[in-house]
Amino acid sequence: MYPPIEPYAHGMLDAGDGQRVYWETCGNPDGLPALVVHGGPGSGAGASWRRLFDPAAYRIVLFDQRGCGRSTPPASDPATDLSVNTTGHLLADMEALRAHLGIDRWLLCGASWGSSLSLAYAQRHPARVSALVLFSVVANTSREIEWLTRDMGRVFPQEWARFRDGVPEADRDGDLSAAYARLVADPDPAVRDKAARDWCDWEDVHVSLAGGYAPSPRYADPVFRYGFTRLVTHYFANRGFLPDGQLLRDAGRLAGIPGVLVQGRLDVSGPPDIAWQLTRDWPDARLEIVESGGHGGGHGIGERVVAALDAFAAGRSPAGRSPADG
């Protein structure tokens, strides 16, 4: 990864609905525009994302999606209205930010939930996307959410039993993400806090299959923990606010956009079959499997992402076409 850098500009985009979206730009103001699309939903765009890009080659844009990070109002406030926080709203925010910054086309770099949001944006606005570099790829289908919240109990049975038992007995055979969404909306702060702890404990488990994993310190912060859980369960309970399977069915709309998908073989949170299915119908994409990789940027995944970004910046498309083409 490249050395740490600081933004040369930042601001708050008035996105309507009372929402103000934080953005920042780093690197070369005349470089190849690239947008970081963080995961979660609700993780925020941390400083480590900047280090994936050559700062001499890229104009790096980061933004915190609605309700998280430095954007306001925060989802960590139980009074914040989440009805204006949907995938459609986030896509509109991305387009508004592109226009605000005077960017014609940009490369999107996204991970996990950010890969889904990047795919949705590229399918809706293909003329605005020069390339895609995605890792820990997911598509937020019903099957994936069921896998994440229920079927992975076969891999982590004891931990999953604790996760399931965190919801009322009447809800344990139903949609667990929706059950947790109801708990974090409870008027009792103690109920909300326990639900957020239980959800984040399970998050730490299901991303841990690759060796050497350590629990994420961010979940120790009760403000982050609650806001993150509130957003994740809101989106999961609504299946990403997308028709089920849309991102896979519409992969053909990405034709002409070069892409690199990097996936860990041991990523049980986002199994490799989703990235593989995407590349079957997206002729300009290449899938790279990292045999020892899990969910996230470790075990060689980050290095593959940096290499793909370097190649695109140099006009040597790792997917066969340059983001400057077409």
Side-chain angles (χ1 to χ4, degrees):
M1 297 176 75
Y2 287 92
I5 56 172
E6 294 298 321
Y8 64 80
H10 63 91
M12 299 292 284
L13 177 73
D14 185 349
D17 307 312
Q19 305 287 316
R20 291 172 60 80
V21 173
Y22 174 85
W23 62 268
E24 64 183 38
T25 49
C26 315
N28 181 355
D30 298 317
L32 180 68
L35 178 69
V36 166
V37 189
H38 67 72
S43 293
S48 61
W49 278 97
R50 306 168 190 160
R51 300 183 59 197
L52 296 173
F53 301 84
D54 180 351
Y58 278 101
R59 179 186 180 188
I60 312 154
V61 181
L62 290 81
F63 79 111
D64 290 331
Q65 295 161 27
R66 291 188 179 205
C68 71
R70 293 146 290 189
S71 294
T72 60
S76 55
D77 179 351
T80 295
D81 178 14
L82 294 189
S83 71
V84 292
N85 196 324
T86 70
T87 299
H89 290 100
L90 300 184
L91 296 178
D93 293 347
M94 292 162 71
E95 260 298 90
L97 180 58
R98 182 194 61 76
H100 176 73
L101 296 176
I103 293 171
D104 182 47
R105 300 166 73 227
W106 48 11
L107 177 151
L108 303 187
C109 181
S112 193
W113 158 250
S115 69
S116 291
L117 190 56
S118 296
L119 290 165
Y121 178 89
Q123 290 177 4
R124 184 171 295 188
H125 304 287
R128 298 304 183 185
V129 179
S130 61
L132 288 160
V133 177
L134 309 176
F135 59 105
S136 300
V137 179
V138 298
N140 271 264
T141 61
S142 293
R143 180 186 176 210
E144 289 171 90
I145 293 171
E146 185 76 2
W147 163 264
L148 197 68
T149 58
R150 188 169 295 280
D151 296 343
M152 251 201 294
R154 298 183 65 188
V155 182
F156 302 105
Q158 183 176 358
E159 296 87 347
W160 180 80
R162 288 198 298 267
F163 171 68
R164 176 204 58 200
D165 291 349
V167 306
E169 186 172 358
D171 293 335
R172 291 174 188 169
D173 292 330
D175 183 338
L176 291 175
S177 57
Y180 270 97
R182 290 190 290 272
L183 288 173
V184 294
D186 194 276
D188 185 343
V191 172
R192 298 197 301 264
D193 182 65
K194 182 181 183 301
R197 288 178 183 274
D198 290 343
W199 182 275
C200 290
D201 284 348
W202 178 240
E203 288 273 352
D204 255 340
V205 167
H206 68 67
V207 298
S208 67
L209 195 60
Y213 179 78
S216 174
R218 63 185 184 170
Y219 298 139
D221 177 356
V223 175
F224 175 87
R225 185 172 63 228
Y226 176 69
F228 174 84
T229 302
R230 194 169 177 229
L231 283 170
V232 171
T233 57
H234 171 64
Y235 273 82
F236 279 13
N238 289 284
R239 300 304 186 256
F241 295 95
L242 293 166
D244 196 29
Q246 174 190 309
L247 298 180
L248 296 174
R249 287 194 302 272
D250 289 351
R253 292 180 56 82
L254 304 173
I257 300 174
V260 174
L261 283 62
V262 182
Q263 202 77 9
R265 179 74 72 190
L266 303 180
D267 187 350
V268 292
S269 300
D273 63 324
I274 296 298
W276 176 76
Q277 288 179 57
L278 282 165
T279 58
R280 287 190 306 169
D281 297 317
W282 178 9
D284 301 282
R286 190 181 82 204
L287 172 61
E288 298 186 8
I289 297 289
V290 179
E291 294 297 332
S292 60
H295 197 75
H299 293 272
I301 290 176
E303 290 85 344
R304 300 281 189 99
V305 172
V306 170
L309 292 169
D310 284 350
F312 278 128
R316 304 187 312 273
S317 171
R321 297 180 71 249
S322 165
D325 293 344

